[in-house]
Amino acid sequence: MTFGYLIIVNDKNDTNYLNLAYALALSIKNTQKEGYDKVALVIDNKDRLKNLTSPWVFDEVIENDYHEHWNGRSYMDFLSPWEATVCLDADMLFTRDYSHWIDYFIKNCDLYIANSAYTYRGEKITSDHY
């Protein structure tokens, strides 16, 4: 079974989500063990990758300009190049290996949706500010 992470970004926001996705992909490459370190980027304009120092951190780049932001997540099974996929927000970072979670999810769940978010300090986020 193939596995990878999927990150969806587009040009429609003031925030540069491509830079955030790039940092996330670098953190995945540096913390996850082999086989759990594949990253696919869904972007509305592949030309934006020319501004990145190391675009190789994205194993797959999928150009898609008809599914935007949250709507794109509705199509992640269509967009993902892998059989098992974890769709991530671009504004995350991996600080340690999480491959044991992936094995658990693949074995026990068809769909898993996180219901809480935490800061890098391990504090539960309760504000909708960001």
PDB file of all heavy atoms in Angstrom, residues 80-114:
ATOM      1  N   SER A  80      -5.247  12.765  -4.452  1.00  0.00           N
ATOM      2  CA  SER A  80      -4.078  12.084  -3.880  1.00  0.00           C
ATOM      3  C   SER A  80      -3.538  10.997  -4.811  1.00  0.00           C
ATOM      4  O   SER A  80      -4.300  10.203  -5.362  1.00  0.00           O
ATOM      5  CB  SER A  80      -4.438  11.445  -2.542  1.00  0.00           C
ATOM      6  OG  SER A  80      -3.318  10.725  -2.048  1.00  0.00           O
ATOM      7  N   PRO A  81      -2.210  10.938  -4.951  1.00  0.00           N
ATOM      8  CA  PRO A  81      -1.609   9.875  -5.770  1.00  0.00           C
ATOM      9  C   PRO A  81      -1.420   8.571  -5.000  1.00  0.00           C
ATOM     10  O   PRO A  81      -0.933   7.593  -5.564  1.00  0.00           O
ATOM     11  CB  PRO A  81      -0.259  10.476  -6.167  1.00  0.00           C
ATOM     12  CG  PRO A  81       0.082  11.403  -5.052  1.00  0.00           C
ATOM     13  CD  PRO A  81      -1.230  11.942  -4.546  1.00  0.00           C
ATOM     14  N   TRP A  82      -1.789   8.546  -3.716  1.00  0.00           N
ATOM     15  CA  TRP A  82      -1.556   7.368  -2.887  1.00  0.00           C
ATOM     16  C   TRP A  82      -2.850   6.676  -2.477  1.00  0.00           C
ATOM     17  O   TRP A  82      -3.917   7.275  -2.465  1.00  0.00           O
ATOM     18  CB  TRP A  82      -0.767   7.767  -1.641  1.00  0.00           C
ATOM     19  CG  TRP A  82       0.569   8.300  -1.994  1.00  0.00           C
ATOM     20  CD1 TRP A  82       1.619   7.620  -2.536  1.00  0.00           C
ATOM     21  CD2 TRP A  82       1.009   9.653  -1.881  1.00  0.00           C
ATOM     22  NE1 TRP A  82       2.675   8.458  -2.752  1.00  0.00           N
ATOM     23  CE2 TRP A  82       2.334   9.713  -2.356  1.00  0.00           C
ATOM     24  CE3 TRP A  82       0.428  10.828  -1.417  1.00  0.00           C
ATOM     25  CZ2 TRP A  82       3.077  10.873  -2.382  1.00  0.00           C
ATOM     26  CZ3 TRP A  82       1.163  11.990  -1.442  1.00  0.00           C
ATOM     27  CH2 TRP A  82       2.480  12.009  -1.917  1.00  0.00           C
ATOM     28  N   GLU A  83      -2.702   5.412  -2.077  1.00  0.00           N
ATOM     29  CA  GLU A  83      -3.856   4.640  -1.607  1.00  0.00           C
ATOM     30  C   GLU A  83      -4.291   5.092  -0.217  1.00  0.00           C
ATOM     31  O   GLU A  83      -5.477   5.098   0.088  1.00  0.00           O
ATOM     32  CB  GLU A  83      -3.511   3.152  -1.578  1.00  0.00           C
ATOM     33  CG  GLU A  83      -3.205   2.586  -2.948  1.00  0.00           C
ATOM     34  CD  GLU A  83      -2.552   1.231  -2.874  1.00  0.00           C
ATOM     35  OE1 GLU A  83      -1.471   1.121  -2.271  1.00  0.00           O
ATOM     36  OE2 GLU A  83      -3.125   0.287  -3.430  1.00  0.00           O
ATOM     37  N   ALA A  84      -3.344   5.446   0.637  1.00  0.00           N
ATOM     38  CA  ALA A  84      -3.632   5.952   1.984  1.00  0.00           C
ATOM     39  C   ALA A  84      -3.025   7.341   2.097  1.00  0.00           C
ATOM     40  O   ALA A  84      -1.847   7.541   1.768  1.00  0.00           O
ATOM     41  CB  ALA A  84      -3.052   5.027   3.050  1.00  0.00           C
ATOM     42  N   THR A  85      -3.821   8.305   2.543  1.00  0.00           N
ATOM     43  CA  THR A  85      -3.402   9.711   2.530  1.00  0.00           C
ATOM     44  C   THR A  85      -3.786  10.402   3.821  1.00  0.00           C
ATOM     45  O   THR A  85      -4.875  10.188   4.354  1.00  0.00           O
ATOM     46  CB  THR A  85      -4.101  10.455   1.368  1.00  0.00           C
ATOM     47  OG1 THR A  85      -3.802   9.782   0.152  1.00  0.00           O
ATOM     48  CG2 THR A  85      -3.651  11.895   1.285  1.00  0.00           C
ATOM     49  N   VAL A  86      -2.888  11.244   4.316  1.00  0.00           N
ATOM     50  CA  VAL A  86      -3.205  12.165   5.398  1.00  0.00           C
ATOM     51  C   VAL A  86      -3.148  13.562   4.796  1.00  0.00           C
ATOM     52  O   VAL A  86      -2.118  13.971   4.260  1.00  0.00           O
ATOM     53  CB  VAL A  86      -2.218  12.046   6.581  1.00  0.00           C
ATOM     54  CG1 VAL A  86      -2.463  13.150   7.601  1.00  0.00           C
ATOM     55  CG2 VAL A  86      -2.341  10.678   7.240  1.00  0.00           C
ATOM     56  N   CYS A  87      -4.273  14.263   4.851  1.00  0.00           N
ATOM     57  CA  CYS A  87      -4.340  15.630   4.339  1.00  0.00           C
ATOM     58  C   CYS A  87      -3.992  16.584   5.484  1.00  0.00           C
ATOM     59  O   CYS A  87      -4.569  16.488   6.570  1.00  0.00           O
ATOM     60  CB  CYS A  87      -5.735  15.915   3.806  1.00  0.00           C
ATOM     61  SG  CYS A  87      -5.865  17.497   2.960  1.00  0.00           S
ATOM     62  N   LEU A  88      -3.032  17.462   5.240  1.00  0.00           N
ATOM     63  CA  LEU A  88      -2.532  18.357   6.280  1.00  0.00           C
ATOM     64  C   LEU A  88      -2.814  19.816   5.949  1.00  0.00           C
ATOM     65  O   LEU A  88      -2.824  20.199   4.777  1.00  0.00           O
ATOM     66  CB  LEU A  88      -1.012  18.191   6.427  1.00  0.00           C
ATOM     67  CG  LEU A  88      -0.502  16.804   6.788  1.00  0.00           C
ATOM     68  CD1 LEU A  88       1.019  16.771   6.668  1.00  0.00           C
ATOM     69  CD2 LEU A  88      -0.943  16.419   8.185  1.00  0.00           C
ATOM     70  N   ASP A  89      -2.987  20.631   6.986  1.00  0.00           N
ATOM     71  CA  ASP A  89      -3.005  22.080   6.806  1.00  0.00           C
ATOM     72  C   ASP A  89      -1.579  22.530   6.544  1.00  0.00           C
ATOM     73  O   ASP A  89      -0.628  21.999   7.128  1.00  0.00           O
ATOM     74  CB  ASP A  89      -3.510  22.783   8.069  1.00  0.00           C
ATOM     75  CG  ASP A  89      -5.012  22.649   8.238  1.00  0.00           C
ATOM     76  OD1 ASP A  89      -5.699  22.339   7.258  1.00  0.00           O
ATOM     77  OD2 ASP A  89      -5.493  22.851   9.367  1.00  0.00           O
ATOM     78  N   ALA A  90      -1.413  23.515   5.698  1.00  0.00           N
ATOM     79  CA  ALA A  90      -0.079  23.984   5.334  1.00  0.00           C
ATOM     80  C   ALA A  90       0.645  24.650   6.501  1.00  0.00           C
ATOM     81  O   ALA A  90       1.869  24.676   6.535  1.00  0.00           O
ATOM     82  CB  ALA A  90      -0.168  24.959   4.164  1.00  0.00           C
ATOM     83  N   ASP A  91      -0.085  25.158   7.470  1.00  0.00           N
ATOM     84  CA  ASP A  91       0.541  25.891   8.573  1.00  0.00           C
ATOM     85  C   ASP A  91       0.891  25.000   9.766  1.00  0.00           C
ATOM     86  O   ASP A  91       0.770  25.388  10.914  1.00  0.00           O
ATOM     87  CB  ASP A  91      -0.336  27.061   9.006  1.00  0.00           C
ATOM     88  CG  ASP A  91      -1.708  26.631   9.495  1.00  0.00           C
ATOM     89  OD1 ASP A  91      -2.063  25.441   9.332  1.00  0.00           O
ATOM     90  OD2 ASP A  91      -2.433  27.480  10.034  1.00  0.00           O
ATOM     91  N   MET A  92       1.379  23.800   9.476  1.00  0.00           N
ATOM     92  CA  MET A  92       1.805  22.860  10.504  1.00  0.00           C
ATOM     93  C   MET A  92       3.301  22.588  10.342  1.00  0.00           C
ATOM     94  O   MET A  92       3.878  22.869   9.297  1.00  0.00           O
ATOM     95  CB  MET A  92       1.068  21.520  10.348  1.00  0.00           C
ATOM     96  CG  MET A  92      -0.425  21.597  10.423  1.00  0.00           C
ATOM     97  SD  MET A  92      -1.202  20.019  10.002  1.00  0.00           S
ATOM     98  CE  MET A  92      -0.588  18.945  11.278  1.00  0.00           C
ATOM     99  N   LEU A  93       3.897  22.015  11.374  1.00  0.00           N
ATOM    100  CA  LEU A  93       5.273  21.501  11.310  1.00  0.00           C
ATOM    101  C   LEU A  93       5.328  20.175  12.041  1.00  0.00           C
ATOM    102  O   LEU A  93       4.653  19.983  13.045  1.00  0.00           O
ATOM    103  CB  LEU A  93       6.262  22.473  11.954  1.00  0.00           C
ATOM    104  CG  LEU A  93       6.526  23.782  11.235  1.00  0.00           C
ATOM    105  CD1 LEU A  93       7.449  24.660  12.066  1.00  0.00           C
ATOM    106  CD2 LEU A  93       7.128  23.541   9.863  1.00  0.00           C
ATOM    107  N   PHE A  94       6.129  19.259  11.537  1.00  0.00           N
ATOM    108  CA  PHE A  94       6.384  17.993  12.234  1.00  0.00           C
ATOM    109  C   PHE A  94       7.669  18.164  13.034  1.00  0.00           C
ATOM    110  O   PHE A  94       8.695  18.548  12.476  1.00  0.00           O
ATOM    111  CB  PHE A  94       6.553  16.862  11.228  1.00  0.00           C
ATOM    112  CG  PHE A  94       5.270  16.286  10.717  1.00  0.00           C
ATOM    113  CD1 PHE A  94       4.165  17.078  10.452  1.00  0.00           C
ATOM    114  CD2 PHE A  94       5.167  14.931  10.486  1.00  0.00           C
ATOM    115  CE1 PHE A  94       2.993  16.543   9.974  1.00  0.00           C
ATOM    116  CE2 PHE A  94       3.992  14.374   9.994  1.00  0.00           C
ATOM    117  CZ  PHE A  94       2.897  15.183   9.740  1.00  0.00           C
ATOM    118  N   THR A  95       7.612  17.856  14.306  1.00  0.00           N
ATOM    119  CA  THR A  95       8.791  17.992  15.160  1.00  0.00           C
ATOM    120  C   THR A  95       9.349  16.648  15.606  1.00  0.00           C
ATOM    121  O   THR A  95      10.410  16.604  16.224  1.00  0.00           O
ATOM    122  CB  THR A  95       8.466  18.842  16.400  1.00  0.00           C
ATOM    123  OG1 THR A  95       7.381  18.229  17.113  1.00  0.00           O
ATOM    124  CG2 THR A  95       8.075  20.254  15.993  1.00  0.00           C
ATOM    125  N   ARG A  96       8.621  15.563  15.308  1.00  0.00           N
ATOM    126  CA  ARG A  96       9.103  14.226  15.641  1.00  0.00           C
ATOM    127  C   ARG A  96       8.439  13.214  14.721  1.00  0.00           C
ATOM    128  O   ARG A  96       7.567  13.558  13.940  1.00  0.00           O
ATOM    129  CB  ARG A  96       8.844  13.894  17.106  1.00  0.00           C
ATOM    130  CG  ARG A  96       7.387  13.853  17.498  1.00  0.00           C
ATOM    131  CD  ARG A  96       7.236  13.609  19.001  1.00  0.00           C
ATOM    132  NE  ARG A  96       5.867  13.656  19.426  1.00  0.00           N
ATOM    133  CZ  ARG A  96       5.075  12.585  19.525  1.00  0.00           C
ATOM    134  NH1 ARG A  96       5.545  11.388  19.226  1.00  0.00           N
ATOM    135  NH2 ARG A  96       3.837  12.694  19.926  1.00  0.00           N
ATOM    136  N   ASP A  97       8.824  11.966  14.834  1.00  0.00           N
ATOM    137  CA  ASP A  97       8.300  10.901  13.986  1.00  0.00           C
ATOM    138  C   ASP A  97       6.883  10.513  14.432  1.00  0.00           C
ATOM    139  O   ASP A  97       6.648  10.249  15.607  1.00  0.00           O
ATOM    140  CB  ASP A  97       9.235   9.695  14.075  1.00  0.00           C
ATOM    141  CG  ASP A  97       8.769   8.536  13.223  1.00  0.00           C
ATOM    142  OD1 ASP A  97       8.051   8.759  12.232  1.00  0.00           O
ATOM    143  OD2 ASP A  97       9.131   7.390  13.547  1.00  0.00           O
ATOM    144  N   TYR A  98       5.951  10.494  13.480  1.00  0.00           N
ATOM    145  CA  TYR A  98       4.569  10.105  13.749  1.00  0.00           C
ATOM    146  C   TYR A  98       4.160   8.864  12.965  1.00  0.00           C
ATOM    147  O   TYR A  98       2.971   8.573  12.836  1.00  0.00           O
ATOM    148  CB  TYR A  98       3.618  11.265  13.392  1.00  0.00           C
ATOM    149  CG  TYR A  98       3.796  12.452  14.292  1.00  0.00           C
ATOM    150  CD1 TYR A  98       4.459  13.583  13.837  1.00  0.00           C
ATOM    151  CD2 TYR A  98       3.310  12.449  15.588  1.00  0.00           C
ATOM    152  CE1 TYR A  98       4.634  14.684  14.668  1.00  0.00           C
ATOM    153  CE2 TYR A  98       3.481  13.541  16.424  1.00  0.00           C
ATOM    154  CZ  TYR A  98       4.142  14.655  15.952  1.00  0.00           C
ATOM    155  OH  TYR A  98       4.319  15.735  16.774  1.00  0.00           O
ATOM    156  N   SER A  99       5.111   8.112  12.458  1.00  0.00           N
ATOM    157  CA  SER A  99       4.783   6.967  11.610  1.00  0.00           C
ATOM    158  C   SER A  99       3.942   5.916  12.339  1.00  0.00           C
ATOM    159  O   SER A  99       3.135   5.240  11.712  1.00  0.00           O
ATOM    160  CB  SER A  99       6.053   6.332  11.049  1.00  0.00           C
ATOM    161  OG  SER A  99       6.904   5.910  12.088  1.00  0.00           O
ATOM    162  N   HIS A 100       4.088   5.799  13.652  1.00  0.00           N
ATOM    163  CA  HIS A 100       3.286   4.822  14.394  1.00  0.00           C
ATOM    164  C   HIS A 100       1.794   5.161  14.314  1.00  0.00           C
ATOM    165  O   HIS A 100       0.947   4.277  14.312  1.00  0.00           O
ATOM    166  CB  HIS A 100       3.750   4.738  15.850  1.00  0.00           C
ATOM    167  CG  HIS A 100       3.645   6.024  16.600  1.00  0.00           C
ATOM    168  ND1 HIS A 100       4.521   7.077  16.404  1.00  0.00           N
ATOM    169  CD2 HIS A 100       2.760   6.447  17.519  1.00  0.00           C
ATOM    170  CE1 HIS A 100       4.184   8.089  17.184  1.00  0.00           C
ATOM    171  NE2 HIS A 100       3.114   7.738  17.862  1.00  0.00           N
ATOM    172  N   TRP A 101       1.456   6.424  14.225  1.00  0.00           N
ATOM    173  CA  TRP A 101       0.054   6.819  14.049  1.00  0.00           C
ATOM    174  C   TRP A 101      -0.456   6.354  12.696  1.00  0.00           C
ATOM    175  O   TRP A 101      -1.586   5.893  12.575  1.00  0.00           O
ATOM    176  CB  TRP A 101      -0.092   8.328  14.141  1.00  0.00           C
ATOM    177  CG  TRP A 101       0.019   8.914  15.501  1.00  0.00           C
ATOM    178  CD1 TRP A 101       0.365   8.282  16.672  1.00  0.00           C
ATOM    179  CD2 TRP A 101      -0.219  10.271  15.849  1.00  0.00           C
ATOM    180  NE1 TRP A 101       0.373   9.180  17.705  1.00  0.00           N
ATOM    181  CE2 TRP A 101       0.010  10.397  17.228  1.00  0.00           C
ATOM    182  CE3 TRP A 101      -0.593  11.388  15.122  1.00  0.00           C
ATOM    183  CZ2 TRP A 101      -0.126  11.609  17.895  1.00  0.00           C
ATOM    184  CZ3 TRP A 101      -0.732  12.586  15.783  1.00  0.00           C
ATOM    185  CH2 TRP A 101      -0.506  12.689  17.160  1.00  0.00           C
ATOM    186  N   ILE A 102       0.368   6.514  11.683  1.00  0.00           N
ATOM    187  CA  ILE A 102      -0.047   6.145  10.331  1.00  0.00           C
ATOM    188  C   ILE A 102      -0.366   4.654  10.276  1.00  0.00           C
ATOM    189  O   ILE A 102      -1.394   4.251   9.730  1.00  0.00           O
ATOM    190  CB  ILE A 102       1.042   6.512   9.301  1.00  0.00           C
ATOM    191  CG1 ILE A 102       1.374   8.005   9.371  1.00  0.00           C
ATOM    192  CG2 ILE A 102       0.631   6.087   7.904  1.00  0.00           C
ATOM    193  CD1 ILE A 102       0.205   8.949   9.315  1.00  0.00           C
ATOM    194  N   ASP A 103       0.493   3.824  10.853  1.00  0.00           N
ATOM    195  CA  ASP A 103       0.228   2.387  10.885  1.00  0.00           C
ATOM    196  C   ASP A 103      -1.094   2.094  11.580  1.00  0.00           C
ATOM    197  O   ASP A 103      -1.873   1.264  11.124  1.00  0.00           O
ATOM    198  CB  ASP A 103       1.366   1.650  11.597  1.00  0.00           C
ATOM    199  CG  ASP A 103       2.655   1.666  10.803  1.00  0.00           C
ATOM    200  OD1 ASP A 103       2.603   1.812   9.571  1.00  0.00           O
ATOM    201  OD2 ASP A 103       3.723   1.545  11.431  1.00  0.00           O
ATOM    202  N   TYR A 104      -1.366   2.785  12.678  1.00  0.00           N
ATOM    203  CA  TYR A 104      -2.615   2.591  13.411  1.00  0.00           C
ATOM    204  C   TYR A 104      -3.817   3.010  12.562  1.00  0.00           C
ATOM    205  O   TYR A 104      -4.804   2.290  12.471  1.00  0.00           O
ATOM    206  CB  TYR A 104      -2.597   3.386  14.726  1.00  0.00           C
ATOM    207  CG  TYR A 104      -3.902   3.286  15.476  1.00  0.00           C
ATOM    208  CD1 TYR A 104      -4.170   2.189  16.290  1.00  0.00           C
ATOM    209  CD2 TYR A 104      -4.876   4.270  15.337  1.00  0.00           C
ATOM    210  CE1 TYR A 104      -5.379   2.086  16.953  1.00  0.00           C
ATOM    211  CE2 TYR A 104      -6.086   4.174  15.995  1.00  0.00           C
ATOM    212  CZ  TYR A 104      -6.339   3.073  16.802  1.00  0.00           C
ATOM    213  OH  TYR A 104      -7.538   2.975  17.450  1.00  0.00           O
ATOM    214  N   PHE A 105      -3.738   4.173  11.940  1.00  0.00           N
ATOM    215  CA  PHE A 105      -4.854   4.669  11.132  1.00  0.00           C
ATOM    216  C   PHE A 105      -5.160   3.732   9.973  1.00  0.00           C
ATOM    217  O   PHE A 105      -6.319   3.427   9.703  1.00  0.00           O
ATOM    218  CB  PHE A 105      -4.564   6.060  10.575  1.00  0.00           C
ATOM    219  CG  PHE A 105      -4.454   7.139  11.616  1.00  0.00           C
ATOM    220  CD1 PHE A 105      -3.677   8.253  11.379  1.00  0.00           C
ATOM    221  CD2 PHE A 105      -5.114   7.056  12.827  1.00  0.00           C
ATOM    222  CE1 PHE A 105      -3.568   9.259  12.317  1.00  0.00           C
ATOM    223  CE2 PHE A 105      -5.016   8.052  13.780  1.00  0.00           C
ATOM    224  CZ  PHE A 105      -4.241   9.164  13.529  1.00  0.00           C
ATOM    225  N   ILE A 106      -4.142   3.284   9.274  1.00  0.00           N
ATOM    226  CA  ILE A 106      -4.345   2.412   8.118  1.00  0.00           C
ATOM    227  C   ILE A 106      -4.975   1.090   8.553  1.00  0.00           C
ATOM    228  O   ILE A 106      -5.860   0.568   7.888  1.00  0.00           O
ATOM    229  CB  ILE A 106      -3.022   2.192   7.359  1.00  0.00           C
ATOM    230  CG1 ILE A 106      -2.611   3.491   6.650  1.00  0.00           C
ATOM    231  CG2 ILE A 106      -3.153   1.052   6.357  1.00  0.00           C
ATOM    232  CD1 ILE A 106      -1.230   3.447   6.035  1.00  0.00           C
ATOM    233  N   LYS A 107      -4.555   0.585   9.685  1.00  0.00           N
ATOM    234  CA  LYS A 107      -5.062  -0.701  10.169  1.00  0.00           C
ATOM    235  C   LYS A 107      -6.483  -0.594  10.725  1.00  0.00           C
ATOM    236  O   LYS A 107      -7.283  -1.512  10.562  1.00  0.00           O
ATOM    237  CB  LYS A 107      -4.128  -1.243  11.253  1.00  0.00           C
ATOM    238  CG  LYS A 107      -4.501  -2.600  11.768  1.00  0.00           C
ATOM    239  CD  LYS A 107      -3.501  -3.093  12.778  1.00  0.00           C
ATOM    240  CE  LYS A 107      -3.915  -4.445  13.322  1.00  0.00           C
ATOM    241  NZ  LYS A 107      -2.999  -4.915  14.360  1.00  0.00           N
ATOM    242  N   ASN A 108      -6.827   0.522  11.363  1.00  0.00           N
ATOM    243  CA  ASN A 108      -8.066   0.601  12.130  1.00  0.00           C
ATOM    244  C   ASN A 108      -9.134   1.563  11.616  1.00  0.00           C
ATOM    245  O   ASN A 108     -10.242   1.553  12.138  1.00  0.00           O
ATOM    246  CB  ASN A 108      -7.738   0.989  13.578  1.00  0.00           C
ATOM    247  CG  ASN A 108      -6.913  -0.068  14.251  1.00  0.00           C
ATOM    248  OD1 ASN A 108      -7.352  -1.195  14.419  1.00  0.00           O
ATOM    249  ND2 ASN A 108      -5.694   0.285  14.625  1.00  0.00           N
ATOM    250  N   CYS A 109      -8.823   2.407  10.660  1.00  0.00           N
ATOM    251  CA  CYS A 109      -9.794   3.437  10.263  1.00  0.00           C
ATOM    252  C   CYS A 109      -9.810   3.627   8.749  1.00  0.00           C
ATOM    253  O   CYS A 109      -8.775   3.595   8.114  1.00  0.00           O
ATOM    254  CB  CYS A 109      -9.415   4.787  10.883  1.00  0.00           C
ATOM    255  SG  CYS A 109      -9.162   4.769  12.649  1.00  0.00           S
ATOM    256  N   ASP A 110     -11.001   3.862   8.210  1.00  0.00           N
ATOM    257  CA  ASP A 110     -11.100   4.290   6.816  1.00  0.00           C
ATOM    258  C   ASP A 110     -10.971   5.797   6.720  1.00  0.00           C
ATOM    259  O   ASP A 110     -10.451   6.324   5.752  1.00  0.00           O
ATOM    260  CB  ASP A 110     -12.429   3.859   6.206  1.00  0.00           C
ATOM    261  CG  ASP A 110     -12.480   2.364   5.949  1.00  0.00           C
ATOM    262  OD1 ASP A 110     -11.418   1.780   5.678  1.00  0.00           O
ATOM    263  OD2 ASP A 110     -13.578   1.793   6.031  1.00  0.00           O
ATOM    264  N   LEU A 111     -11.491   6.485   7.729  1.00  0.00           N
ATOM    265  CA  LEU A 111     -11.427   7.938   7.776  1.00  0.00           C
ATOM    266  C   LEU A 111     -11.232   8.357   9.222  1.00  0.00           C
ATOM    267  O   LEU A 111     -11.935   7.882  10.112  1.00  0.00           O
ATOM    268  CB  LEU A 111     -12.717   8.559   7.223  1.00  0.00           C
ATOM    269  CG  LEU A 111     -12.845  10.070   7.300  1.00  0.00           C
ATOM    270  CD1 LEU A 111     -11.790  10.731   6.402  1.00  0.00           C
ATOM    271  CD2 LEU A 111     -14.239  10.512   6.890  1.00  0.00           C
ATOM    272  N   TYR A 112     -10.280   9.228   9.448  1.00  0.00           N
ATOM    273  CA  TYR A 112     -10.029   9.751  10.790  1.00  0.00           C
ATOM    274  C   TYR A 112      -9.973  11.265  10.687  1.00  0.00           C
ATOM    275  O   TYR A 112      -9.270  11.805   9.839  1.00  0.00           O
ATOM    276  CB  TYR A 112      -8.697   9.220  11.342  1.00  0.00           C
ATOM    277  CG  TYR A 112      -8.417   9.700  12.738  1.00  0.00           C
ATOM    278  CD1 TYR A 112      -8.923   9.033  13.840  1.00  0.00           C
ATOM    279  CD2 TYR A 112      -7.664  10.848  12.950  1.00  0.00           C
ATOM    280  CE1 TYR A 112      -8.679   9.489  15.118  1.00  0.00           C
ATOM    281  CE2 TYR A 112      -7.417  11.308  14.233  1.00  0.00           C
ATOM    282  CZ  TYR A 112      -7.928  10.619  15.314  1.00  0.00           C
ATOM    283  OH  TYR A 112      -7.702  11.075  16.572  1.00  0.00           O
ATOM    284  N   ILE A 113     -10.724  11.942  11.542  1.00  0.00           N
ATOM    285  CA  ILE A 113     -10.744  13.401  11.550  1.00  0.00           C
ATOM    286  C   ILE A 113     -10.346  13.870  12.944  1.00  0.00           C
ATOM    287  O   ILE A 113     -10.978  13.494  13.940  1.00  0.00           O
ATOM    288  CB  ILE A 113     -12.137  13.946  11.179  1.00  0.00           C
ATOM    289  CG1 ILE A 113     -12.521  13.468   9.779  1.00  0.00           C
ATOM    290  CG2 ILE A 113     -12.163  15.462  11.275  1.00  0.00           C
ATOM    291  CD1 ILE A 113     -13.934  13.760   9.384  1.00  0.00           C
ATOM    292  N   ALA A 114      -9.310  14.679  13.017  1.00  0.00           N
ATOM    293  CA  ALA A 114      -8.869  15.219  14.303  1.00  0.00           C
ATOM    294  C   ALA A 114      -9.916  16.207  14.811  1.00  0.00           C
ATOM    295  O   ALA A 114     -10.501  16.967  14.047  1.00  0.00           O
ATOM    296  CB  ALA A 114      -7.525  15.915  14.147  1.00  0.00           C
TER     297      ALA A 114
END
